[in-house]
Amino acid sequence: MTDTVHVIGGGLAGSEAAWQLAKAGVPVVLHEMRPERQTEAHKTDALAELVCSNSFRSDDWETNAVGLLHEEMRRAGSLIMACADAHKLPAGGALAVDRENFADAVTEALTEHPLIEIDRGEVPGLPPADWDSVIVATGPLTSPALADAVKTLTGEAELAFFDAIAPIVHFESIDMDVCWRQSRYDKVGPGGSGADYINCPLDKAQYDAFIDGLLAAEKTAFKDFEKTPYFEGCLPIEVMAERGRDTLRYGPMKPVGLTNAHRPDEKPHAIVQLRQDNALGTLWNMVGFQTKLKHGEQARVFRMIPGLAQAEFARLGGLHRNTFLDSPKLLDGSLRLKAEPRLRFAGQVTGVEGYVESAAIGLIAGRFAGAERLGAPPAPPPPTTALGALLAHITGGHLSADGEGGARSFQPMNVNFGLFPPVTVARESWGKGPKNSKAFARKRAMSARALADLDAWLEGRSAVAAE
């Protein structure tokens, strides 16, 4: 009988890694510390619980890197993507899911698999020495004991930064005489209709008053983590506002691609969007409104937004610590810790950002560990694929010089086409219109190349497994 692989952490990455191992015929013990030990962000004991957002972002595989990652993971038999597709919500061109049903589906699939044992309890410190193959997928909320053990083992002084969480509003408290439903550019995505977001318009005076209120509001103190930096892709909205009064108008409050259904002749100065958060349509989250404002201040300031004057909040925003490794320095090409190769890392702790990216690294780590257990060399996905590009970011770093001959510190990153090897496209392939520029032609060429290379990789992997 094939020896067991231990997976620590029942988030998206750990769940996906366990699934990939079991599907390859390798027995797994999946260790999840909840509910024995809760975190400051989780609310349930379900596996793959989503805490910051319900969105997996764009599902457009032709011209969006995360959409391409979706498609690659589907083709690779991803449990996370299968459950996301089964419980999707209307969200324009994005893939958003019903949080509870999604997590319940993942939990049920893993619980019922005969090769997966779920162990509820914390793994304190480093795993026991007789666990010779371990995937650590503890995510952004790694327990202090395990984080300290990894720091001791690697000699790293710091493994953390901050993530912020956006508020959720009860639908019945939104004034639809002020707001209207529309997706940006009327885009219809998975499960969508082209009218999937609730839009709150602000004129210039309202926007200026909102910015003033945001900047003056009282923030949550850092306390023990004062020197921990933010992740640039998940900045609190008040931090964005501090960078300039128009920053939000060019970010989450941009007024483009939308027409006020109540006043079609008036162009809003800024727009706040809300995205459906559950299948019933009773809860809506404020897109891009992650925040560290104190709770009372959040209610006061966010009710300054037109249409939200009477808003009732199912959840207010918050702040939690995210943990990640300096992966290019500490991990090898198959995600093993150089200082102790029996430990393999997966998910956000490796230095990727986003639900899909975390699950993708879990998928790769699970396949690596499975191949190793079955006596085959771990074959990495081609660097031309989204999976391979993410792996290269982690293990190669894509670090650039800091101007003094050194390398910039490694930072978490979402998947993007800048991580892919370049491709040349002929001028005649550009076409006309906003979606047919040279940039979009390059993205389509990269995506087509990625899927062709991925299919060849999967066929090769299948052939090895069959032997």
Side-chain angles (χ1 to χ4, degrees), residues 135-181:
I135 296 176
V136 181
T138 46
L141 300 171
T142 298
S143 70
L146 183 54
D148 288 343
V150 172
K151 283 194 287 186
T152 299
L153 187 64
T154 60
E156 295 292 294
E158 187 55 77
L159 303 173
F161 64 95
F162 279 118
D163 268 347
I165 301 173
I168 295 176
V169 181
H170 288 283
F171 173 76
E172 62 186 12
S173 69
I174 301 171
D175 187 351
M176 295 306 293
D177 290 332
V178 175
C179 306
W180 76 97
R181 296 183 65 152

Side-chain angles (χ1 to χ4, degrees), residues 364-446:
I364 296 170
R367 283 176 169 260
F368 280 165
E372 194 173 71
R373 268 293 188 250
L374 297 172
T384 51
T385 64
L387 288 166
L390 272 179
L391 182 63
H393 166 64
I394 292 169
T395 58
H398 295 296
L399 304 182
S400 56
D402 61 7
E404 297 179 357
R408 286 189 186 154
S409 61
F410 176 66
Q411 290 293 319
M413 186 176 291
N414 294 114
V415 66
N416 63 84
F417 282 117
L419 300 178
F420 290 61
V423 65
T424 302
V425 294
R427 176 65 180 86
E428 54 268 22
S429 70
W430 296 7
K432 296 180 180 179
K435 284 278 188 177
N436 291 291
S437 64
K438 179 180 180 181
F440 279 100
R442 287 178 60 253
K443 291 175 181 177
R444 283 191 292 270
M446 285 184 175

Side-chain angles (χ1 to χ4, degrees), residues 257-394:
L258 298 163
T259 302
N260 189 335
H262 305 297
R263 299 180 178 180
D265 295 331
E266 295 183 10
K267 181 174 176 58
H269 190 70
I271 291 174
V272 173
Q273 289 196 304
L274 293 91
R275 179 179 58 235
Q276 189 172 333
D277 199 74
N278 65 345
L280 296 174
T282 56
L283 300 175
W284 291 71
N285 64 63
M286 301 178 69
V287 178
F289 266 59
Q290 53 273 4
T291 182
K292 67 183 184 79
L293 297 183
K294 289 194 171 181
H295 282 181
E297 294 287 77
Q298 289 182 46
R300 179 182 65 80
V301 174
F302 294 155
R303 285 174 182 148
M304 296 173 67
I305 298 168
L308 301 184
Q310 304 299 320
E312 295 296 330
F313 296 93
R315 182 190 75 186
L316 288 162
L319 192 69
H320 67 80
R321 194 178 77 158
N322 194 333
T323 303
F324 72 98
L325 299 168
D326 187 355
S327 292
K329 174 183 175 183
L330 301 177
L331 302 184
D332 70 10
S334 66
L335 300 172
R336 296 179 306 178
L337 192 67
K338 294 175 183 177
E340 191 157 341
R342 71 187 178 99
L343 304 181
R344 184 173 263 114
F345 284 78
Q348 274 187 278
V349 74
T350 64
V352 293
E353 179 63 20
Y355 289 142
V356 183
E357 289 89 338
S358 297
I361 300 303
L363 184 152
I364 296 170
R367 283 176 169 260
F368 280 165
E372 194 173 71
R373 268 293 188 250
L374 297 172
T384 51
T385 64
L387 288 166
L390 272 179
L391 182 63
H393 166 64
I394 292 169

